[in-house]
Amino acid sequence: MSWEWRLYHRDLSRTEFDRILEYLEGGGATLQQQYTDVFGKIRVEDGLISLAHPRIAREFLVNIGTIHSEGFIDVLLRRRRLGSVEENFIKQLRIGDLFVLGGRIVRLIETGVQEAYVERADGQLPTVPRWNAAKMPLTSGLARAVRRLRTELDTKVRQNPEDVGIADWLVEHYHISTANAQAIVELFRAQLSVSDIPVGRKMLIELYREGSHAHYFFHSLIGRSANDALSRIVALRVKQRIGGNALVTIDDYGFLLTLRRFQELPLNELRQCFDRENAERDLAAALRGSELVKWQFRGVAQTGLMVPRNLPGKKRKLKQLSWSAEVLFRVLERHEPDHPLLIEAYRQATHTFLDAETAYRFLDDVQEFEWKLLELPVVSPFSFAIYASVIKENMMLEDPTGAIERIYREMYAKVEKATSSLPPEKRERSGTFRSHSSHT
């Protein structure tokens, strides 16, 4: 046994190590009784490890360095093809999620081999925007830098009602244009006029009611991937408390939880949904209801040589690989949830696709934050980007850029109207509407 092998496996428990050997011998506990010849790669006799068959070496050599490539998934409404979406997009979905394709809102009801099956959901609110697909997500490190900027600028704006020198400070320290600096100061002023600035150790939640829906904007500035993980934990816990569906929209700067009006929760119950205890368990439970792990398993099965992409002398088709991985995933998920490749798929889902560690660290700290729930008559400027990612999906006949610009102007007009209706003393301190706050 080489030193590299020993170093790589030294952190494994004996149980985990034996489980990996069991997989290499015959595919795992569930498969080895009938499919040892198919999945077996090694033979263990008298404490010695050898290859199960000479062909294993050839298969290893033609597959070593395999990089899982993602393709496109056909979306079918009954038997009619609506179009296709990227595999990476399907990973984000859960059964029941609503999205827009071909100019109509559809609900995901099942996925198959390179196919996703949907039904019509006319008139309903999409839960998964596609507009940010080509946008690089905000990392947790950059999110911390944005939080520091907000904290510094919040202090300056509150201490300087006339904004004297604030734009110049932004130009000097962040090397931006004067026009952009002035726009940032204006944005902060507008935010303060109806709400608060989510800075430092402050957990700001904004509630905006729209028709039969209650939109909760959580300003958890920890990066998009971490917000994705955090929102799955919180949404699961909200659903466990009140039942029904909790629709989630994630963003670089936080996430939006959309509930029915009868599902509204007070601040103390929302706060309990951010408890650190059992966060790993709840994230795993949330992922079991998603498509992410299943689609992640397809790549793991290829790199783990359970479903080799290449055979000596030929290359397997993508649909063949997907079909094999689909069948194996369903078997292992039901009969062997501790299979090493399935565990690896969950690990990649939580630590590669999602940023679970940053989400856990946030949960460790957030209970010591100052918590504030504000009920707003309008969507605040800081929440508009999250809100826009939802409403853009309903804009079938307008240019998205022009439509968002128009709605943004309308929102600003509502902010100004809401501010002008406040008493002078509240306007002076850039106060808020009815609020509930707590501090530990």
Side-chain angles (χ1 to χ4, degrees):
M1 183 180 293
S2 69
W3 282 108
E4 290 83 356
W5 174 272
R6 292 183 185 181
L7 289 171
Y8 185 76
H9 290 89
R10 67 181 179 180
D11 293 331
L12 292 176
S13 67
R14 184 69 206 189
T15 300
E16 292 170 325
F17 184 79
D18 289 341
R19 196 174 291 136
I20 291 173
L21 288 181
E22 190 175 43
Y23 159 65
L24 293 174
E25 284 186 90
T30 302
L31 302 171
Q32 65 181 357
Q33 292 182 356
Q34 297 182 3
Y35 299 102
T36 297
D37 292 340
V38 177
F39 297 107
K41 294 169 177 56
I42 64 172
R43 184 185 297 113
V44 181
E45 294 178 342
D46 299 325
L48 297 177
I49 300 176
S50 60
L51 292 179
H53 192 279
R55 66 174 170 79
I56 301 300
R58 296 195 298 271
E59 290 181 1
F60 175 77
L61 291 173
V62 298
N63 285 282
I64 189 171
T66 291
I67 299 175
H68 172 58
S69 59
E70 298 183 343
F72 284 84
I73 310 301
D74 290 329
V75 179
L76 304 177
L77 177 63
R78 296 187 177 91
R79 296 184 179 181
R80 183 161 65 90
R81 182 180 180 275
L82 287 183
S84 63
V85 296
E86 302 88 347
E87 185 175 323
N88 189 61
F89 174 70
I90 287 291
K91 285 182 181 181
Q92 303 175 47
L93 302 184
R94 285 168 272 197
I95 299 300
D97 277 345
L98 289 80
F99 62 98
V100 174
L101 186 66
R104 63 175 44 161
I105 301 173
V106 294
R107 177 186 291 104
L108 181 69
I109 56 176
E110 188 182 0
T111 61
V113 181
Q114 298 302 113
E115 294 173 335
Y117 302 94
V118 300
E119 62 183 10
R120 295 181 63 166
D122 299 339
Q124 299 195 42
L125 187 68
T127 62
V128 183
R130 294 196 59 205
W131 298 82
N132 290 329
K135 178 182 175 183
M136 292 296 290
L138 187 74
T139 64
S140 56
L142 187 55
R144 288 192 295 270
V146 173
R147 184 176 286 273
R148 287 195 297 270
L149 167 62
R150 284 183 175 180
T151 302
E152 293 176 335
L153 193 54
D154 176 58
T155 301
K156 291 181 179 295
V157 169
R158 290 179 187 272
Q159 294 177 348
N160 189 344
E162 302 300 324
D163 296 338
V164 177
I166 298 179
D168 294 337
W169 174 82
L170 283 170
V171 172
E172 180 181 353
H173 284 78
Y174 292 93
H175 308 290
I176 60 177
S177 68
T178 301
N180 285 336
Q182 291 172 342
I184 292 173
V185 175
E186 180 186 349
L187 177 69
F188 270 66
R189 282 288 180 206
Q191 175 70 18
L192 278 171
S193 69
V194 294
S195 183
D196 201 354
I197 305 294
V199 298
R201 298 176 66 81
K202 181 185 295 183
M203 183 61 197
L204 174 64
I205 307 169
E206 295 175 339
L207 169 59
Y208 170 64
R209 296 184 179 91
E210 182 180 41
S212 61
H213 293 94
H215 299 293
Y216 288 89
F217 297 91
F218 295 85
H219 292 273
S220 50
L221 185 54
I222 54 177
R224 187 179 185 87
S225 298
N227 278 324
D228 196 348
L230 179 64
S231 66
R232 291 172 188 261
I233 296 170
V234 173
L236 176 72
R237 292 172 174 178
V238 168
K239 187 174 181 179
Q240 290 172 341
R241 286 178 176 274
I242 60 176
N245 292 322
L247 306 181
V248 178
T249 306
I250 62 169
D251 184 74
D252 288 338
Y253 302 98
F255 63 94
L256 164 63
L257 190 66
T258 301
L259 305 174
R260 296 287 183 179
R261 294 284 288 270
F262 68 87
Q263 296 175 302
E264 291 186 21
L265 290 171
L267 179 60
N268 64 318
E269 291 197 42
L270 289 171
R271 185 169 182 168
Q272 291 172 21
C273 293
F274 285 76
D275 192 354
R276 175 63 178 87
E277 187 176 358
N278 297 321
E280 291 87 350
R281 181 201 65 189
D282 289 345
L283 180 56
L287 287 174
R288 276 194 291 273
S290 73
E291 294 293 292
L292 175 56
V293 176
K294 183 178 78 171
W295 290 86
Q296 204 72 30
F297 178 81
R298 298 185 177 194
V300 171
Q302 288 185 41
T303 55
L305 300 184
M306 193 176 203
V307 183
R309 178 188 299 179
N310 304 312
L311 297 175
K314 64 178 181 180
K315 184 175 182 179
R316 301 176 70 187
K317 294 181 179 179
L318 183 60
K319 196 161 189 174
Q320 292 175 318
L321 297 172
S322 299
W323 184 85
S324 298
E326 174 89 10
V327 172
L328 289 169
F329 175 81
R330 293 181 184 277
V331 170
L332 297 177
E333 182 85 339
R334 176 176 296 181
H335 300 290
E336 194 178 349
D338 57 356
H339 190 281
L341 294 192
L342 197 56
I343 290 176
E344 174 63 13
Y346 273 96
R347 189 197 67 78
Q348 289 189 13
T350 56
H351 298 289
T352 303
F353 191 88
L354 307 177
D355 185 359
E357 290 303 322
T358 298
Y360 297 151
R361 287 195 297 271
F362 181 78
L363 292 176
D364 283 329
D365 297 335
V366 74
Q367 290 299 330
E368 303 301 320
F369 284 17
E370 177 190 355
W371 285 68
K372 185 175 288 187
L373 171 62
L374 303 181
E375 300 177 22
L376 306 183
V378 295
V379 176
S380 76
F382 275 25
S383 292
F384 182 79
I386 311 176
Y387 181 69
S389 66
V390 175
I391 61 176
K392 270 192 283 189
E393 292 292 359
N394 286 319
M395 298 172 193
M396 309 300 181
L397 302 178
E398 288 188 79
D399 171 65
T401 303
I404 290 300
E405 178 68 20
R406 173 180 58 79
I407 295 174
Y408 186 68
R409 297 297 178 189
E410 292 174 0
M411 284 292 178
Y412 246 105
K414 291 181 179 179
V415 169
E416 292 176 354
K417 182 178 180 181
T419 304
S420 63
S421 66
L422 289 174
E425 65 273 11
K426 286 192 175 183
R427 267 179 280 167
E428 289 176 4
R429 64 182 178 87
S430 295
T432 59
F433 297 87
R434 190 169 52 156
S435 69
H436 315 273
S437 63
S438 63
H439 181 68
T440 302

